[in-house]
Amino acid sequence: MIFLADFTTFTPQNIAMSYPYQIKSFEEYKKAYQKSVEDPESFWSEIAENFVWKKKWNSVLNWNFEEPWVQWFEGAKLNITENCIDRHLKELGEKPAIIWEPNNPEERTRIVTYNRLHKRVCQVAQMLKNNGVKKGDRVCIYMGMVPELAYAILGCARIGAIHSVIFGGFSAQSIADRLYDANAEYIITCDGAYRGEKIIPLKSVIDDALIGNRSIKRVIVYTRTRTAVSMLKGRDVWWEDEMQYAEEQVEKNGIVSFPAETMDAEDPLFILYTSGSTGKPKGVVHSTAGYMLWTNYTFINVFQYRQGQVHFCTADIGWITGHSYIVYGPLSAGGTSVMFEGVPAWPNAGRFWEIVDKYKVNILYTAPTAIRSLMGFGLEPLQGKDLSSLEVLGTVGEPINEEAWHWYDEHIGKKKCPIVDTWWQTETGGCLISNMAGVTPAKPSWATLPMPGVQPILVDEKGNEVTEKDEHGLLKGNLCIKAPWPAILRTTYGDHERCRTNYFSAYKDLYFTGDGALKDENGFYRITGRVDDVLNVSGHRIGTAEVENAINMHAGVVESAVVGYPHDIKGQGIYAFVIDNNTHGDEELTRKDILQTVSRIIGPIAKPDKIQFVKGLPKTRSGKIMRRILRKIAEGDLSNIGDTSTLLDPTVVDDIKNGKL
Ligand code: WT7
């Protein structure tokens, strides 16, 4: 079959090249902010005019947070890949869309132009279609950081399939749970992935996840590491074969095309699983039009992106940061995005700086964890690396301590690059609170001001707005948002009630972020961290309940309680208090067994840093674990445990204190 139809009639609009909605001064920011709050509909519809639509909207915004129910650009039709690729082809066809840096610096770099990206995405779309994937189907993607991962994501979007990327650090059991929850029938994976000196056998993990599974119809396997894999007849196919076949279908007489499916503004674009305070990860669902607008708008404004700049976001596409600021944000802006397969400190700790030098990176966006761990190697890895191309630096994922901020500023930005501290979440789709590089003021370790369209509010436990300043003149409370921005999550997959109770029921008519924050006299926000039972380990979100469930699966374990503690590099470490039945009498071995169990159930990223065996846990008379006490102990704040008189057995506290690791 040939699909030439759409492309010949599609006229790329020459609009991606300038960004009329890029804010250029603090004054402009204030004006834009005010307008976005007073008249969000005209504010966002003017911005939306800069995108390619198959049909314009009937209304801009309908919502109520009670259900919750949010609709942006109701009635509009579009395909996000036409906005990320097709519209750039005329002007930018031969410009790099993706610059790929392999794990091993000795290996060849790959530069993917917009023309090439277009062709590959059309091929993937055709390949998916050939394999039975239809609009609305869920496709699970479990791949390493190779350009094919971006092709896979965009190929899904091209045909309207919902992608659900799973980070390579999750175990077979985690994958199986997510496949089941998303009701996925298709998987795209790799034989293996390179991560530093390691090879992660992705296909083999998928095989374990699929033991007993009857719903998966097709597994498409891209060859990266030449790791031996088992290919099940009738279910598993090779990416290379399928893509070659599809190539003949999408390319005729030198013209490449695959019609982009017509999607509703509110059709789901993807699902991304994230941890909450319950034991079960939830599938955050993002929409098409709102998410597109938001990632584009924030990319252009926060980083002050200019056409031709090279943007390097070091995140993995398995997390939201990679979705929004490696793929959708930069590509929708016609930008050039660096995609790095490897890890920061292999084969040496100068890897990031080498990449900055090699590709003349202008914008570097990374996590405080990475900065802190690279700081630990001193300045030697910076020797001989030319970082003069850098213009903007960014951080994301966790609060950045001042020491790391200043190191980043001094040694990487050479005190001439604004640093943007971007606060956001999987659920928010893109940055909500952040300074704009060189345009709005920065303040070390403060995320500062909300983006246009974002209305934060700090509330107390009862949901009343906090108005009383503390001794430092700051307001302190739980961070909520009053009204929807275009990329707010729409639901949690398959369980809308869960979305409601999780985010919209704590405080009436507010979206609750789960974070605590401070606000200063300038209206700047500083995010202080989670106020729920969610940990932030190296910028990765992990639920304490999830880790406890995994630990409790181990045969020797009676009960456990998990809390976070300050960790110099990771931000937070995982501290587990475990009651075991001590049957095989070897603590060290039991510890290893528990780590192995957590690795199996969740994945290596959730392994506790410390496991302390205890005889009892501090419980109230009603049986509730007093985490406050455990947190104090884990933090090492032993003299300041607080009131223990309401405990069923206060003596357990001394036992635990004495055994502290
Ligand atoms: C949680 C969201 C945002 C993409 C990566 C993480 C914390 C995020 C900051 C920041 C302080 C931050 C919050 C938030 N967080 N950015 N700039 N300063 N804390 O996404 O896995 O959904 O985690 O990360 O606690 O709730 P996520």
Side-chain angles (χ1 to χ4, degrees), residues 274-275 319-322 325 365 368 395-400 420-428 430-431 433 445-447 513-516 526-532 534-536 539-542:
T274 190
S275 297
W319 309 106
I320 190 72
T321 309
Y325 299 110
Y365 189 32
T395 73
V396 59
E398 37 171 334
I400 181 162
V420 290
D421 180 347
T422 65
W423 172 82
W424 56 295
Q425 312 179 293
T426 304
E427 294 85 346
T428 70
C431 308
I433 302 182
S445 85
W446 288 66
T513 64
D515 280 316
R526 175 187 197 155
I527 314 303
T528 48
R530 304 287 305 196
V531 295
D532 53 8
V534 171
L535 305 180
N536 192 328
H540 299 154
R541 223 158 114 178
I542 296 167

Side-chain angles (χ1 to χ4, degrees), residues 201-250:
L202 298 178
K203 173 62 164 66
S204 148
V205 178
I206 289 287
D207 288 338
D208 288 345
L210 294 187
I211 292 169
N213 180 300
R214 285 153 194 258
S215 25
I216 294 296
K217 294 183 178 152
R218 195 66 86 232
V219 181
I220 300 174
V221 185
Y222 172 72
T223 310
R224 172 64 185 124
T225 55
R226 306 202 145 265
T227 306
V229 295
S230 99
M231 295 289 282
L232 215 66
K233 202 179 281 169
R235 187 194 71 184
D236 302 351
V237 295
W238 293 108
W239 167 287
E240 293 75 10
D241 295 346
E242 298 298 303
M243 283 289 272
Q244 195 179 0
Y245 184 60
E247 184 171 13
E248 293 156 18
Q249 296 171 289
V250 300

Side-chain angles (χ1 to χ4, degrees), residues 83-95:
N83 286 279
C84 287
I85 307 172
D86 303 54
R87 68 162 162 166
H88 307 317
L89 294 178
K90 199 171 153 203
E91 294 285 326
L92 305 173
E94 287 308 306
K95 292 274 184 315

